[in-house]
Amino acid sequence: MNEFTFTLHATDGAARTGRIDTPRGEIRTPAFMPVGTAATVKAMMPESVRETGADILLGNTYHLMLRPGAERIARLGGLHRFMNWDRPILTDSGGFQVMSLAELRKLDEDGVTFRSHIDGSKHRLSPETSMEIQRLLGSDIVMAFDECPALPADRDRIASSMRLSMRWAARSRAAFGDRPGHALFGIQQGGLERDLRQESAEALREIGFEGYAIGGLAVGEGQEAMFDCLDYAPGMLPEDKPRYLMGVGKPDDIVGAVKRGVDMMDCVLPSRSGRTGQAWTRRGQVNIKNARHADDPRPLDEHCTCPACRSYSRAYLHHVFRAGEMISGMLLTWHNLHYFQEIMAEMRAAISEGRFAAWEADFHATRAEGDIEPL
Amino acid sequence: MNEFTFTLHATDGAARTGRIDTPRGEIRTPAFMPVGTAATVKAMMPESVRETGADILLGNTYHLMLRPGAERIARLGGLHRFMNWDRPILTDSGGFQVMSLAELRKLDEDGVTFRSHIDGSKHRLSPETSMEIQRLLGSDIVMAFDECPALPADRDRIASSMRLSMRWAARSRAAFGDRPGHALFGIQQGGLERDLRQESAEALREIGFEGYAIGGLAVGEGQEAMFDCLDYAPGMLPEDKPRYLMGVGKPDDIVGAVKRGVDMMDCVLPSRSGRTGQAWTRRGQVNIKNARHADDPRPLDEHCTCPACRSYSRAYLHHVFRAGEMISGMLLTWHNLHYFQEIMAEMRAAISEGRFAAWEADFHATRAEGDIEPL
């Protein structure tokens, strides 16, 4: 299989399940992509990430271009080999993180100049350089270079930013070239303005991509506003290509996005939460540093089959968090990633079997019960 | 098997190989015990520690009594269950760490009063309380409560401290009671004074223990002085019981100790080094943060079969160390523990086959070559 293809297996309402095939393996959709910012999913061995059920990781172009550098990674055989992950990798374009992390950003029609947050060194990203960097990394799914305005922003700012991103999308497509087995995804922008989302979707369809992302959401607008947008935005994108909602999210965000027709998502939440003592379970959030867990012999979730739940008590997880031990972040990250992948697997099965609504009702009912009572 | 037994299989010069059997499994000797201070071998999952070849871990009574507390661990089913390690555990008595870590220490004939370095709370350890805490932890090998003077110390101080430790050893023996399948080890003291070592050994043999430790070494006296002492100290202890050299050491310390008749050792070095970017290989030490590794596609050690060497380049290990990623400590700790256990396995085989001297010569010759040349 040397092609990048997307096959839709079933739909249930707007929710979809299917499979992306790539030369590096299949991606079952809906898919959650753990984030491996600096060539590692923090606190995890890549074998363990795979064990949680992840088919694909996300890498951050901005971080990797600054350290250790894209040319260096290319010389070392590419990102897959460098980080010991032989399955698909999606890289973002760097645009969003330049805007949120870099210093002294200067935007013009051609691209953006900025200084590294690590050492202050000067860099430039444009559609052409972003495509080149993602090629050097060896990314399987390359994201078009775009600009994402911080919200709230006025309509004119959102419109002009979206139109710039569409011009950059066309330049990204041209610069990407012909790379069988690799995919370029365009990114819809337009904030919460339906007509701008439509204009953006039409511009992207005109250019033509192997997949389509929904950008500019999960940037502080709140779940209700995001869901309102997701009620129409996915339907503007081609039905026969994967739809990727960038940077989402909490478990209930993910479920709501899948319900509305999203096929792929990514978020640092499970790994970041894991390092700060926050666990996500079927019953909602558990703050393991809370003193109520100090003597609790029960696992985080008795139904969970991850190593943290199989072999350790809440009391242990509490202790190692309080003692600042690395195994705390290791176990909680593993649990969180496992839980996120479990939701995805359950949703894929529910959509296949036409029972997504019932699954979703159960998901919300279990969360509403809240965490188990203290002993 | 409900007994604690030691079987000597072979000797080669003063070096010995054998097996300790316990209800929780066998300990192949010479044995290196990774240190799991706060109920975790830092940066490692216990399954991974086992994969490196460790038969037994060391737990620190001082740390565990302060946090999370010995009674709590007992209520939670004991240290093995708490930390998910079902094989043997040896606990120190707390005496050494009280002297090196605690604040406001006050020593008297009965024991020592001190304040916790964590929260300043007041605690007391005596032979009786140390035995009780180690029983609550569920330790398989319990260490007698002793006092270890900081070196340099004058002969009178060393002698009086050793005699106090011998009185405490007798009280430890009495307090330990009858616990089939569990062992109590006495600790020889006497600094670098041969006659005091002899006096201490005789006192311990008089009391009678399941094993004998050599204490008061690896406290700054240097390798030559330590080896001088090890030329005679192990021979003063019963031949048919395991001999444990506490807190040792670097690979060449370990080899020199085994050569002189030591059966067990422990040290934080492999795990502590792993978290600070130091790797131990057959060719000596590698400082992974050095810029020479930034573009090096080779593994730490091409002959090593640990995950860090099997799947990652020096360039990757350099990158994740510089980026402050947890996987840096995880991989280097794994490598170091693997290497230490590999030395032990090789020494056991060499002693069994009567070729320890040849093995030792090869060990030193390979180290003398130094690290591979930069590319």
Side-chain angles (χ1 to χ4, degrees):
Chain A
M1 175 80 69
N2 277 313
E3 299 276 310
F4 181 95
T5 59
F6 177 56
T7 313
L8 209 50
H9 292 327
T11 59
D12 186 358
R16 302 141 49 103
T17 184
R19 192 182 74 236
I20 297 169
D21 284 298
T22 84
R24 287 191 179 270
E26 70 167 12
I27 304 158
R28 296 161 290 179
T29 66
F32 178 79
M33 301 184 281
V35 177
T37 297
T40 166
V41 176
K42 291 181 196 300
M44 294 287 285
M45 299 278 276
E47 301 87 333
S48 311
V49 177
R50 176 60 185 160
E51 270 187 59
T52 67
D55 290 334
I56 175 170
L57 297 187
L58 181 141
N60 289 127
T61 287
Y62 171 79
H63 286 276
L64 295 169
M65 70 183 280
L66 296 182
R67 185 174 59 194
E71 292 79 6
R72 173 170 285 144
I73 289 178
R75 281 196 303 273
L76 291 161
L79 183 57
H80 297 82
R81 182 163 168 193
F82 187 61
M83 69 182 291
N84 189 30
W85 174 267
D86 62 5
R87 290 176 175 272
I89 293 177
L90 179 150
T91 47
D92 62 13
S93 71
F96 181 80
Q97 293 203 310
V98 164
M99 291 303 161
S100 53
L101 293 174
E103 290 158 14
L104 295 172
R105 299 178 299 273
K106 196 168 168 303
L107 183 77
D108 56 49
E109 174 66 29
D110 184 60
V112 56
T113 303
F114 61 94
R115 287 192 182 276
S116 159
H117 72 290
I118 299 170
D119 62 4
S121 57
K122 199 169 167 181
H123 298 267
R124 184 161 175 82
L125 271 176
S126 67
E128 291 75 21
T129 56
S130 175
M131 293 307 103
E132 172 63 5
I133 290 169
Q134 294 182 75
R135 188 189 63 76
L136 287 167
L137 295 174
S139 174
D140 302 286
I141 301 181
V142 169
M143 298 306 295
F145 188 67
D146 68 336
E147 200 243 343
C148 175
L151 292 184
D154 64 33
R155 187 182 152 84
D156 285 353
R157 168 83 181 90
I158 291 169
S160 64
S161 166
M162 179 272 285
R163 288 170 192 142
L164 175 63
S165 287
M166 295 307 101
R167 293 191 296 278
W168 285 0
R171 285 169 53 193
S172 295
R173 178 83 269 180
F176 180 79
D178 183 28
R179 303 184 59 208
H182 296 77
L184 178 64
F185 279 25
I187 306 174
Q188 182 197 46
Q189 293 289 353
L192 303 174
E193 310 285 332
R194 185 167 185 157
D195 61 328
L196 296 181
R197 287 272 166 197
Q198 183 64 40
E199 180 185 331
S200 179
E202 283 167 15
L204 295 174
R205 297 176 75 138
E206 179 72 19
I207 300 165
F209 291 93
E210 286 76 54
Y212 294 82
I214 299 166
L217 293 181
V219 290
E221 74 280 6
Q223 190 188 70
E224 193 182 337
M226 181 174 81
F227 282 174
D228 283 348
C229 182
L230 291 177
D231 281 338
Y232 56 76
M236 296 171 172
L237 302 171
E239 203 181 327
D240 62 345
K241 303 290 183 196
R243 300 163 179 165
Y244 161 32
L245 177 61
M246 305 181 78
V248 169
K250 296 185 185 173
D252 52 331
D253 295 330
I254 290 174
V255 171
V258 167
K259 178 185 187 174
R260 290 167 175 82
V262 165
D263 305 307
M264 302 166 72
M265 276 156 289
D266 77 282
C267 194
V268 296
L269 189 70
S271 43
R272 181 170 293 165
S273 296
R275 298 194 308 285
T276 56
Q278 301 292 323
W280 296 89
T281 77
R282 295 173 306 118
R283 290 162 165 271
Q285 243 183 305
V286 176
N287 182 346
I288 204 65
K289 58 193 153 186
N290 193 306
R292 64 163 277 195
H293 305 298
D295 281 295
D296 196 329
R298 299 171 297 179
L300 270 177
D301 181 343
E302 62 178 347
H303 294 297
C304 179
T305 59
C306 86
C309 291
R310 261 194 340 252
S311 306
Y312 299 91
S313 61
R314 289 176 177 227
Y316 183 79
L317 297 173
H318 173 81
H319 163 65
V320 287
F321 179 83
R322 296 279 279 245
E325 292 289 347
M326 285 171 68
I327 201 171
S328 170
M330 293 160 66
L331 288 172
L332 289 187
T333 299
W334 196 323
H335 168 81
N336 286 342
L337 289 175
H338 179 99
Y339 174 62
F340 274 57
Q341 294 296 344
E342 193 171 61
I343 295 176
M344 305 315 293
E346 288 181 12
M347 286 195 289
R348 289 192 296 264
I351 297 165
S352 283
E353 296 160 18
R355 52 177 178 79
F356 184 81
W359 182 88
E360 189 198 8
D362 184 60
F363 169 82
H364 288 297
T366 307
R367 283 167 64 87
E369 287 174 22
D371 193 19
I372 50 176
E373 289 296 312
L375 287 177
Chain B
M1 174 82 67
N2 277 314
E3 299 276 311
F4 180 96
T5 59
F6 177 56
T7 314
L8 210 49
H9 292 327
T11 59
D12 186 358
R16 303 143 46 103
T17 185
R19 193 183 73 236
I20 297 169
D21 284 297
T22 84
R24 287 191 180 269
E26 69 166 11
I27 304 159
R28 296 162 291 180
T29 66
F32 178 79
M33 302 185 280
V35 178
T37 298
T40 165
V41 176
K42 291 183 197 297
M44 294 287 285
M45 299 279 277
E47 300 89 332
S48 311
V49 178
R50 176 61 184 159
E51 269 187 60
T52 67
D55 291 334
I56 174 171
L57 297 187
L58 180 142
N60 289 127
T61 287
Y62 171 79
H63 286 277
L64 294 169
M65 71 183 281
L66 297 181
R67 185 173 57 195
E71 293 80 5
R72 173 171 285 145
I73 288 178
R75 282 196 301 273
L76 291 161
L79 183 57
H80 296 83
R81 180 164 169 192
F82 186 60
M83 70 183 291
N84 188 31
W85 174 265
D86 62 5
R87 291 177 175 271
I89 292 176
L90 178 150
T91 46
D92 62 13
S93 71
F96 181 80
Q97 293 205 309
V98 164
M99 290 304 160
S100 53
L101 293 174
E103 290 159 14
L104 295 172
R105 299 177 299 273
K106 198 168 168 301
L107 183 77
D108 56 49
E109 175 65 29
D110 184 60
V112 56
T113 304
F114 60 94
R115 288 193 182 275
S116 159
H117 72 289
I118 299 170
D119 63 3
S121 57
K122 199 170 168 181
H123 299 267
R124 185 162 174 81
L125 271 175
S126 68
E128 291 75 19
T129 56
S130 175
M131 293 306 105
E132 171 65 4
I133 290 168
Q134 294 182 74
R135 188 189 63 76
L136 286 167
L137 295 175
S139 176
D140 302 286
I141 302 181
V142 169
M143 298 305 297
F145 188 65
D146 68 338
E147 200 242 342
C148 175
L151 290 186
D154 64 33
R155 187 182 152 83
D156 285 354
R157 168 82 181 90
I158 291 170
S160 65
S161 167
M162 179 273 284
R163 288 169 191 140
L164 174 63
S165 287
M166 296 307 102
R167 295 191 294 279
W168 285 359
R171 284 168 55 192
S172 295
R173 177 83 270 178
F176 180 80
D178 183 27
R179 302 184 60 207
H182 296 75
L184 179 64
F185 280 24
I187 306 174
Q188 181 197 46
Q189 293 288 355
L192 303 174
E193 310 285 331
R194 185 166 184 156
D195 60 327
L196 297 180
R197 286 273 166 194
Q198 183 64 41
E199 180 184 332
S200 179
E202 283 166 15
L204 295 175
R205 297 175 76 136
E206 180 72 20
I207 301 166
F209 292 94
E210 286 75 55
Y212 295 82
I214 300 165
L217 293 181
V219 291
E221 73 281 7
Q223 190 187 70
E224 193 181 338
M226 180 173 82
F227 282 174
D228 283 349
C229 182
L230 291 178
D231 281 338
Y232 56 76
M236 296 170 172
L237 302 171
E239 204 181 326
D240 62 344
K241 303 289 184 197
R243 302 163 179 166
Y244 160 33
L245 177 61
M246 305 182 78
V248 170
K250 294 185 186 176
D252 53 330
D253 295 331
I254 289 175
V255 171
V258 167
K259 177 184 187 174
R260 291 168 173 82
V262 166
D263 304 308
M264 302 167 69
M265 277 157 286
D266 77 281
C267 193
V268 297
L269 188 69
S271 43
R272 182 171 292 166
S273 296
R275 298 195 307 287
T276 57
Q278 301 293 321
W280 297 88
T281 78
R282 295 173 306 118
R283 290 162 166 270
Q285 243 183 306
V286 176
N287 182 346
I288 203 65
K289 58 194 154 185
N290 193 304
R292 65 163 275 194
H293 305 298
D295 280 294
D296 197 328
R298 298 171 297 180
L300 270 176
D301 182 342
E302 61 178 349
H303 294 296
C304 178
T305 59
C306 86
C309 291
R310 262 195 338 253
S311 306
Y312 299 91
S313 60
R314 290 176 176 226
Y316 183 79
L317 298 172
H318 173 82
H319 163 65
V320 288
F321 180 83
R322 295 280 278 248
E325 292 289 346
M326 287 171 68
I327 200 170
S328 171
M330 294 160 67
L331 288 172
L332 289 186
T333 300
W334 197 323
H335 167 81
N336 286 341
L337 289 174
H338 179 98
Y339 173 62
F340 274 57
Q341 294 297 343
E342 192 171 59
I343 296 176
M344 305 316 292
E346 288 181 11
M347 287 194 290
R348 290 192 296 264
I351 297 165
S352 283
E353 297 160 18
R355 51 177 178 77
F356 184 81
W359 182 88
E360 190 198 9
D362 184 60
F363 168 82
H364 288 297
T366 307
R367 283 167 63 87
E369 289 175 21
D371 192 18
I372 51 176
E373 289 296 312
L375 287 177

